[in-house]
Amino acid sequence: MKVLLIGGSGFIGRRLIPLLLARGDSVTSVDIAPPVGLPEGVQFRRGDVRQFDEVIAAVAETKPDRLVNLAYHIGSDLPPQVAFKLNVLGMQNVFEAARLCDVPHTIYASSLAVSGLQSAYGERMLNEDELRHGTLQYAVHKIFNEFQAQDYREKHGTVITGIRPANVTGPDKLFGSVDHVHCITAPARGRSVTFPFRDAMRCPVHVDDVAEVFLRVTVADKPKHAVYNTGGHTIGLGELAEMVKGFIPDADIRFEKETGGREKSGNYLIDNRRLVEEFGVQYVPYRTRVLQIINAIRAEEGKPPISG
Ligand SMILES: NC(=O)c1ccc[n+]([C@@H]2O[C@H](COP(=O)([O-])OP(=O)(O)OC[C@H]3O[C@@H](n4cnc5c(N)ncnc54)[C@H](O)[C@@H]3O)[C@@H](O)[C@H]2O)c1
């Protein structure tokens, strides 16, 4: 199958590419940033998702069976015009190109951020049908992306599927929620780290697992649902710190306050049954992933791995 992946140089995209190649798919990666260590056999084309001419040219020339859009700004700090062009207009360009070129299936990343704070719902699991309470720029753009996809499905019958990753984790994560990542990577580097709240809650899911989710949904012809939660492993930062100390006993992880973070936490109780039942996804245990991240950092620093 021919896959055109926009945003393929990023944290998730560079994991998805090898999974597609391993299946024998032909992959073209379009990104504004040059790839680091692009595997052999992948076509790279520099392109800007904000420019419709560039998106439609890439889609018309490659005639993909699948179009995946991962190009985005993760954060809510950009000026409105800049964020809108990348996150909303960029998504629009992808969906419109998919429609005009009859792409059989288009896949895009939404986010757990659409739900906003867990405290808006109380302590209960949330599935994809809940009202979305996100209020930050990033969250509202993702909510609007889900509407854009729905509008294309309803008005044009375009097959478009959204995936809402939870708090993606991995040793090289730079953007988005990074406290749960630094809680692992800082001690692995022998550095101290301090967080505001011990009881802040997260729902981490390893980037290799997320790439596998994107793979399974991407290769499907027509998933049953419009959007899927990846879900993840619900954990407080304090509990994560204890898990890390189990591997690195002298880890120096501090908290300024014991309580107060839980009510400020984003959605951390996530129901991913839709994904599990339809795609048979099973994640590697989170504890194993934590050790994997520690050992990735130790390898970078020339240190031997810690055994589980
Ligand atoms: N990482 C997470 O924790 C997380 C969680 C939930 C949702 N998501 C979503 O998953 C998607 C991928 O996330 P990621 O972590 O791989 O992000 P990332 O920032 O690592 O990758 C995004 C890629 O898009 C590219 N890009 C940026 N502007 C572009 C433009 N104008 N034209 C073409 N390419 C452009 C970047 O160069 C980068 O390679 C995003 O939509 C993100 O919102 C990520």
Side-chain angles (χ1 to χ4, degrees):
M1 154 181 304
K2 280 188 283 179
V3 181
L4 182 63
L5 171 57
I6 304 179
S9 301
F11 180 52
I12 297 172
R14 58 180 178 264
R15 260 65 174 217
L16 176 57
I17 289 173
L19 301 183
L20 291 164
L21 291 176
R23 274 175 29 95
D25 295 324
S26 123
V27 184
T28 303
S29 174
V30 176
D31 205 294
I32 202 164
V36 179
L38 196 69
E40 220 173 285
V42 179
Q43 301 293 316
F44 175 73
R45 82 187 259 164
R46 194 199 167 280
D48 186 339
V49 76
R50 297 168 296 189
Q51 304 297 331
F52 184 67
D53 292 357
E54 295 183 21
V55 177
I56 190 87
V59 177
E61 284 166 31
T62 55
K63 298 185 177 50
D65 304 295
R66 300 290 185 268
L67 175 57
V68 183
N69 184 25
L70 299 177
Y72 223 79
H73 176 68
I74 306 183
S76 297
D77 53 313
L78 286 182
Q81 176 74 357
V82 180
F84 173 86
K85 282 174 81 175
L86 175 53
N87 297 346
V88 180
L89 182 62
M91 196 65 82
Q92 184 70 23
N93 290 340
V94 171
F95 293 166
E96 182 64 4
R99 176 183 83 83
L100 289 171
C101 297
D102 290 321
V103 176
H105 184 192
T106 297
I107 300 89
Y108 70 101
S110 180
S111 169
L112 86 165
V114 297
S115 299
L117 299 183
Q118 179 75 42
S119 55
Y121 305 86
E123 286 287 296
R124 62 184 181 83
M125 302 290 279
L126 306 183
N127 71 15
E128 295 86 346
D129 296 330
E130 296 281 349
L131 279 178
R132 292 159 294 189
H133 289 293
T135 53
L136 298 175
Q137 180 190 74
Y138 176 76
V140 174
H141 285 176
K142 290 292 190 191
I143 293 170
F144 192 72
N145 295 154
E146 293 188 0
F147 169 74
Q148 289 171 289
Q150 181 191 325
D151 216 16
Y152 270 89
R153 274 192 304 275
E154 287 176 3
K155 301 217 169 83
H156 300 296
T158 318
V159 179
I160 303 177
T161 310
I163 296 169
R164 291 182 185 166
N167 300 124
V168 188
T169 185
D172 49 335
K173 182 172 186 182
L174 298 176
F175 308 113
S177 64
V178 286
D179 50 7
H180 59 96
V181 179
H182 294 163
C183 191
I184 305 166
T185 55
R189 292 184 202 285
R191 294 187 194 148
S192 304
V193 66
T194 303
F195 301 104
F197 301 105
R198 181 182 291 276
D199 68 350
M201 299 297 294
R202 301 290 176 255
C203 188
V205 57
H206 195 272
V207 63
D208 291 347
D209 290 322
V210 172
E212 180 67 31
V213 170
F214 271 92
L215 177 76
R216 291 191 191 196
V217 174
T218 295
V219 302
D221 289 333
K222 192 172 180 185
K224 288 184 194 154
H225 299 280
V227 70
Y228 294 84
N229 289 336
T230 68
H233 181 87
T234 299
I235 192 165
L237 283 187
E239 195 189 332
L240 173 56
E242 293 310 311
M243 193 184 281
V244 171
K245 283 179 189 169
F247 295 120
I248 308 171
D250 60 352
D252 186 10
I253 307 168
R254 298 175 195 204
F255 296 94
E256 285 164 5
K257 293 188 177 127
E258 292 299 306
T259 58
R262 198 174 182 98
E263 60 270 26
K264 294 189 179 75
S265 301
N267 174 205
Y268 51 82
L269 294 170
I270 304 176
D271 182 344
N272 67 354
R273 272 178 297 176
R274 203 179 258 192
L275 183 78
V276 171
E277 282 164 17
E278 190 173 336
F279 293 98
V281 172
Q282 271 191 314
Y283 297 145
V284 172
Y286 179 58
R287 193 174 178 281
T288 307
R289 292 304 200 185
V290 169
L291 181 60
Q292 183 184 335
I293 295 169
I294 291 171
N295 283 332
I297 299 295
R298 288 179 66 86
E300 258 176 52
E301 309 229 320
K303 294 179 188 157
I306 291 171
S307 90

